[in-house]
Amino acid sequence: MKLVDLLDVKNQIYHLIQGTIEEVNIEYLSQDSRDIQDNTLFFCVPGTTFDGHQFAKMAEEKGAVCLVASKHVDVKIPVVYVEDVIKTMAFLAMRFYHDPSGSMSLIGVTGTNGKTTTTHIIRHLFEKNKKSCGMIGTNGIWYHQEHIYTPNTTPDSLTLQKSLAKMKEEGVFICTSEVSSHALVMGRVQNVDFNVAVFTNLTHEHLETHHTMAEYGMAKSLLFAQLGSGNNGKIAILNKDDTYAKVIASRCNATIWYYSTKDPSAEFYAKDMVYLASKTEFTLVFQGLEYPVISPLIGEFNVQNALAALAAYYALERHLEKGIEALSSFSGVEGRMQTIENDLGIHAIVDFAHTPDGLEKAMAALKKLNHKRIITMIGHDGGNRDNSIRQDLGRIALEYSDYVVFTSENPREEDPMKIMKEMVNGLEVHHYEFVKDRHKAIDRVVALGQKGDILFFTGKGHEPYQLIGCEKIPFHEAQFVKEALEKKAHE
């Protein structure tokens, strides 16, 4: 593509174009100076750790033919100077990949908790009904049998637009994506055309980035503000049980549907929930009719996730019965209330709950199951994470558990013992212990477990690593729990 055509110089405002660009041809886009191919347009993205402007010369030396920058760079190739490199990158990525979202059906899911499970359910509903559906989120990018790992919940705009274009090329015209607050404020999803947007909930998290809950909520509402007006067919699906839904609704002009487990006035309302060890049964009330639903997931919060997914499926397919039937065969999500099978009569569960709200909802669900004791293993991230929630996490774990083993999660450069002590600071209870090494903590919890107990391993979920110091160490929690249970069974 000719650079002059890509830039759309007649309609897009640039501060300055340095050098001659008329004959420049662009065949590749990159923001990583290690990833330069023939005829690359390189974006000097400023970041918290590295500033892409520092690598401008390296990009030039490796063969980049033009740079996009927001401050002076000393190179001989053409430079397009802009106010905001990240927003410009999102716009040019959309143009370079020929606006793939414009001819796809996209479902965006945002909220503090439930994004991953909801997107997985949505994909399952479509795939089970023979409609190929892509998925983008915490567990990577999925379509057909392809799985691409990504470090962020919502990838950067280059990866996102390229992935959507690839899905279209492979005949995938439906995609569901987790949309993080970071992605929204950083402009990663600008120029992405969502047809449906889902709000799960808003609870205490990421205040190290957003500073206040109001700012955090504003970030989430951006997804719904960009849907446009209600006459364009766009639909917002909001959790009526969350108080912030009203704020989002006030900032959204699209058609709004609500789902709820408490308010019968919601378009998608669940009642008569029955919680069992391996499934949840409930009645869905929709347009005055009642539908029996079986979900293989446990807990009221997973009923809400199922309602959100069914509403999103109905928004595009208008066939609720097929969605309900498909839900019954959903196999769950790795690291989300994942049951580890064993022959000991122990109910072992690995989960990702790492916020006070997520932890309390998960443990409240466990309390409703038949059990003798609940033994919980939990820690908290160190480094630049929001440490104001540590005491709440410790309090909730101790309140719902008969015994708690506190351990390391991703301590980074912070002392794990300091983190664990902060989790119990001021709490006048003693049914806990500290085990610094997470692998040893798993062994300790399994050693304590007896028939009829629930062993709850939370905080890591699907994450295949631990961040200790500056090292990223492989760590597969579900596998370690499985091995510990098997060893116990043969003792």
Side-chain angles (χ1 to χ4, degrees):
M1 178 183 289
K2 289 292 184 181
L3 181 57
V4 289
D5 296 329
L6 175 62
L7 292 178
D8 188 22
V9 292
K10 292 181 180 180
N11 299 310
Q12 186 76 0
I13 299 174
Y14 303 99
H15 283 342
L16 173 69
I17 297 179
Q18 176 182 296
T20 303
I21 65 170
E22 281 71 17
E23 298 304 317
V24 175
N25 192 46
I26 300 299
E27 297 179 15
Y28 193 69
L29 308 182
S30 178
Q31 60 172 328
D32 186 343
S33 59
R34 298 165 298 181
D35 179 28
I36 304 295
Q37 301 184 19
D38 291 341
N39 297 320
T40 292
L41 174 62
F42 179 74
F43 296 89
C44 301
V45 174
T48 55
T49 306
F50 299 104
D51 186 343
H53 293 83
Q54 298 173 344
F55 301 95
K57 195 69 179 176
M58 183 184 297
E60 178 187 29
E61 291 170 353
K62 288 192 172 184
V65 293
C66 182
L67 307 180
V68 176
S70 58
K71 54 189 177 185
H72 177 72
V73 288
D74 186 16
V75 294
K76 296 178 181 178
I77 57 176
V79 181
V80 178
Y81 287 101
V82 300
E83 178 69 27
D84 190 319
V85 175
I86 293 176
K87 289 182 179 179
T88 302
M89 183 169 73
F91 172 74
L92 296 182
M94 177 272 290
R95 288 182 58 78
F96 183 80
Y97 291 106
H98 306 291
D99 189 17
S101 66
S103 52
M104 297 178 70
S105 294
L106 257 62
I107 303 168
V109 181
T110 196
T112 306
N113 302 309
K115 297 187 297 297
T116 300
T117 299
T118 301
T119 53
H120 275 72
I121 298 174
I122 290 170
R123 184 179 192 230
H124 175 79
L125 301 186
F126 282 103
E127 293 278 339
K128 191 69 177 177
N129 284 295
K130 298 180 171 49
K131 294 284 184 74
S132 294
C133 181
M135 182 172 65
I136 299 171
T138 304
N139 292 345
I141 299 170
W142 301 75
Y143 57 94
H144 292 327
Q145 303 306 312
E146 291 288 326
H147 177 213
I148 304 165
Y149 171 76
T150 55
N152 298 314
T153 298
T154 311
D156 63 84
S157 58
L158 298 185
T159 304
L160 182 57
Q161 294 286 358
K162 183 178 181 179
S163 299
L164 293 175
K166 185 64 176 176
M167 288 182 195
K168 271 189 60 179
E169 184 181 314
E170 296 291 329
V172 178
F173 292 93
I174 303 170
C175 180
T176 180
S177 175
E178 296 182 52
V179 185
S180 68
S181 57
H182 294 80
L184 286 160
V185 297
M186 293 177 68
R188 292 181 201 157
V189 294
Q190 281 199 337
N191 305 112
V192 176
D193 187 14
F194 288 97
N195 302 81
V196 179
V198 176
F199 168 67
T200 60
N201 49 65
L202 188 79
T203 64
H204 192 141
E205 191 187 29
H206 294 315
L207 296 194
E208 77 283 357
T209 299
H210 301 296
H211 308 301
T212 67
M213 287 299 292
E215 186 178 332
Y216 181 32
M218 176 65 78
K220 294 293 188 186
S221 69
L222 293 174
L223 176 63
F224 301 87
Q226 73 182 51
L227 285 178
S229 63
N231 60 9
N232 60 8
K234 304 293 182 70
I235 297 174
I237 297 169
L238 311 181
N239 180 2
K240 200 167 190 178
D241 299 335
D242 191 285
T243 57
Y244 201 78
K246 293 180 180 178
V247 180
I248 288 183
S250 71
R251 296 170 181 165
C252 176
N253 290 320
T255 298
I256 295 175
W257 293 348
Y258 290 100
Y259 63 95
S260 174
T261 58
K262 297 178 174 64
D263 190 338
S265 69
E267 281 80 1
F268 294 81
Y269 169 60
K271 67 175 186 176
D272 302 333
M273 279 82 77
V274 178
Y275 302 108
L276 305 172
S278 60
K279 64 182 179 179
T280 300
E281 299 175 356
F282 63 92
T283 299
L284 171 59
V285 182
F286 174 71
Q287 294 183 345
L289 300 177
E290 296 189 354
Y291 301 84
V293 180
I294 297 176
S295 168
L297 305 177
I298 61 174
E300 183 176 349
F301 64 99
N302 271 323
V303 174
Q304 292 179 329
N305 294 335
L307 289 175
L310 287 168
Y313 177 79
Y314 183 80
L316 297 182
E317 290 296 298
R318 305 289 167 158
H319 205 311
L320 188 59
E321 292 92 336
K322 287 185 177 181
I324 291 172
E325 183 179 354
L327 177 64
S328 64
S329 62
F330 181 62
S331 59
V333 183
E334 180 186 4
R336 270 29 179 219
M337 298 298 276
Q338 178 184 357
T339 298
I340 308 300
E341 300 295 337
N342 63 87
D343 298 323
L344 298 166
I346 291 173
H347 199 46
I349 296 175
V350 172
D351 193 50
F352 188 54
H354 61 288
T355 67
D357 179 75
L359 179 64
E360 186 154 26
K361 285 178 177 176
M363 299 205 72
L366 297 180
K367 271 286 190 183
K368 293 179 180 179
L369 305 180
N370 289 329
H371 66 278
K372 289 185 176 179
R373 300 178 300 167
I374 295 178
I375 303 173
T376 299
M377 185 188 81
I378 189 172
H380 186 250
D381 281 355
N384 63 344
R385 296 306 188 265
D386 180 9
N387 61 16
S388 68
I389 64 175
R390 286 177 183 168
Q391 191 172 359
D392 283 338
L393 290 170
R395 174 186 56 77
I396 293 165
L398 289 162
E399 179 182 332
Y400 282 90
S401 306
D402 296 279
Y403 198 75
V404 177
V405 175
F406 290 95
T407 187
S408 299
E409 199 159 294
N410 294 315
R412 295 177 174 83
E413 293 82 12
E414 200 169 351
D415 179 8
M417 190 59 67
K418 170 181 173 290
I419 296 172
M420 290 186 282
K421 286 181 178 179
E422 288 180 0
M423 294 183 77
V424 299
N425 185 40
L427 301 176
E428 297 181 0
V429 293
H430 305 285
H431 56 291
Y432 67 86
E433 63 182 273
F434 297 148
V435 180
K436 181 178 176 180
D437 183 281
R438 193 172 183 95
H439 200 162
K440 291 180 180 178
I442 290 173
D443 291 340
R444 173 61 176 155
V445 171
V446 171
L448 290 169
Q450 300 173 7
K451 184 177 180 179
D453 287 345
I454 294 174
L455 308 185
F456 188 47
F457 306 86
T458 188
K460 291 296 294 175
H462 68 288
E463 287 184 347
Y465 58 81
Q466 265 193 297
L467 297 172
I468 301 177
C470 297
E471 292 187 74
K472 196 171 190 177
I473 300 169
F475 194 93
H476 298 273
E477 188 135 306
Q479 182 61 34
F480 291 153
V481 172
K482 180 181 179 182
E483 290 171 359
L485 289 165
E486 289 174 349
K487 181 180 178 182
K488 185 181 179 76
H490 290 92
E491 288 178 348

